[in-house]
Amino acid sequence: MDAMVFASRVQDIRTQLYRTAYGYLGNEQDSLDAVGEAVYQGYRARKNLREPDYFTTWMTRILIHVCYKEIKRRSKQSIAEIGEVKAEDLDSLSLQEAIAHLPEELRAVIVLRYFTGLTLSETAEALRIPQGTVVTRQRRALKYLRVELEEDA
């Protein structure tokens, strides 16, 4: 894939990439940084993309890895600064905070399905898991969020 085609394809999905990053990271600046890093990594690896029809999924996977690295970096930093989250602190979570407290495997499904708007099959492909697993994780995540948000109300 040449540079001009890559730039054009990225331009077409930039909003989707930002929504995905924001769903993981929860703030504008970190999300913009993550998208920039993912585009850079994608550009460098563009010749490795075997199937151009899967460009969006491929870029989304790169972005997810960038977001995971940032979450891991934050986690190490916040453990030293904040300590563990107490159960009573979870009672007053907003939706974004509740999503941030989901286990990574559940959060990934929620972010891709509801913030990015991927279909079940696209989500399964992006996460490289069976579609049935996406359904199960989505159901578990929504149940958890419902409980957390009802307690908050």
Side-chain angles (χ1 to χ4, degrees), residues 67-84:
C67 290
Y68 280 159
K69 286 172 84 173
E70 174 61 17
I71 290 167
K72 186 182 263 188
R73 185 194 66 75
R74 282 183 188 176
S75 168
K76 288 178 182 176
Q77 181 180 8
S78 66
I79 287 173
E81 294 173 1
I82 299 170
E84 291 186 26

Side-chain angles (χ1 to χ4, degrees), residues 56-126:
T56 301
T57 303
W58 180 71
M59 281 302 302
T60 301
R61 284 201 55 73
I62 293 171
L63 179 63
I64 289 169
H65 288 292
V66 170
C67 290
Y68 280 159
K69 286 172 84 173
E70 174 61 17
I71 290 167
K72 186 182 263 188
R73 185 194 66 75
R74 282 183 188 176
S75 168
K76 288 178 182 176
Q77 181 180 8
S78 66
I79 287 173
E81 294 173 1
I82 299 170
E84 291 186 26
V85 175
K86 298 177 187 146
E88 57 269 14
D89 293 339
L90 294 175
D91 292 340
S92 61
L93 296 176
S94 70
L95 176 60
Q96 188 66 34
E97 290 169 329
I99 291 170
H101 284 93
L102 286 172
E104 278 187 27
E105 65 183 22
L106 302 181
R107 183 179 341 123
V109 170
I110 294 299
V111 168
L112 293 176
R113 293 281 292 131
Y114 295 102
F115 288 88
T116 306
L118 296 183
T119 64
L120 283 172
S121 61
E122 291 169 335
T123 300
E125 186 179 317

